[in-house]
């Protein structure tokens, strides 16, 4: 699973919620309406896609502000490039 796949899943969730898609990794999550519940759904999709459980800590989650942060976080948690 690569960054493009993660962005695709991110945008599926955005679209499902009636929000605009984005590929701008600098997009601020709060401004585009991406919430913690959306993040949870995205993380679950990644886990299903990789057939593994993601490993991360709550402190790391507080640092997430942009789409790029989400992609970096999930890539690291899933040990993917």
């Amino acid at each position: 699973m690569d960054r493009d796949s993660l962005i695709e899943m991110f945008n599926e969730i955005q679209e499902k919620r009636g929000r605009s898609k984005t590929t701008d990794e600098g997009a601020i999550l709060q401004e585009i309406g991406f919430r913690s519940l959306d993040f949870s759904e995205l993380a679950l999709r990644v886990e299903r896609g990789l057939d593994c459980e993601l490993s991360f800590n709550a402190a790391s989650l507080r640092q997430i502000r942009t789409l790029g942060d989400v992609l970096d976080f999930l890539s690291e948690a899933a040990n993917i490039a």
Side-chain angles (χ1 to χ4, degrees):
M1 183 174 299
D2 58 12
R3 283 176 92 81
D4 289 337
S5 298
L6 294 173
I7 290 172
E8 186 177 320
M9 284 189 275
F10 177 93
N11 281 318
E12 286 171 1
I13 294 167
Q14 285 293 89
E15 232 179 1
K16 179 176 149 182
R17 304 273 195 271
R19 300 182 205 127
S20 299
K21 293 181 182 183
T22 187
T23 57
D24 176 10
E25 291 194 23
I28 298 170
L29 299 177
Q30 187 174 22
E31 292 178 4
I32 61 173
F34 195 79
R35 306 285 183 241
S36 59
L37 184 60
D38 302 321
F39 181 86
S40 296
E41 182 176 342
L42 180 58
L44 285 171
R45 287 182 183 207
V46 171
E47 286 179 337
R48 284 187 205 127
L50 297 174
D51 195 30
C52 71
E53 189 172 317
L54 298 179
S55 174
F56 53 86
N57 64 56
S60 301
L61 291 172
R62 291 196 259 315
Q63 305 301 317
I64 296 174
R65 303 277 183 260
T66 66
L67 172 56
D69 293 340
V70 169
L71 300 176
D72 293 341
F73 180 86
L74 291 174
S75 294
E76 184 178 317
N79 295 315
I80 56 178

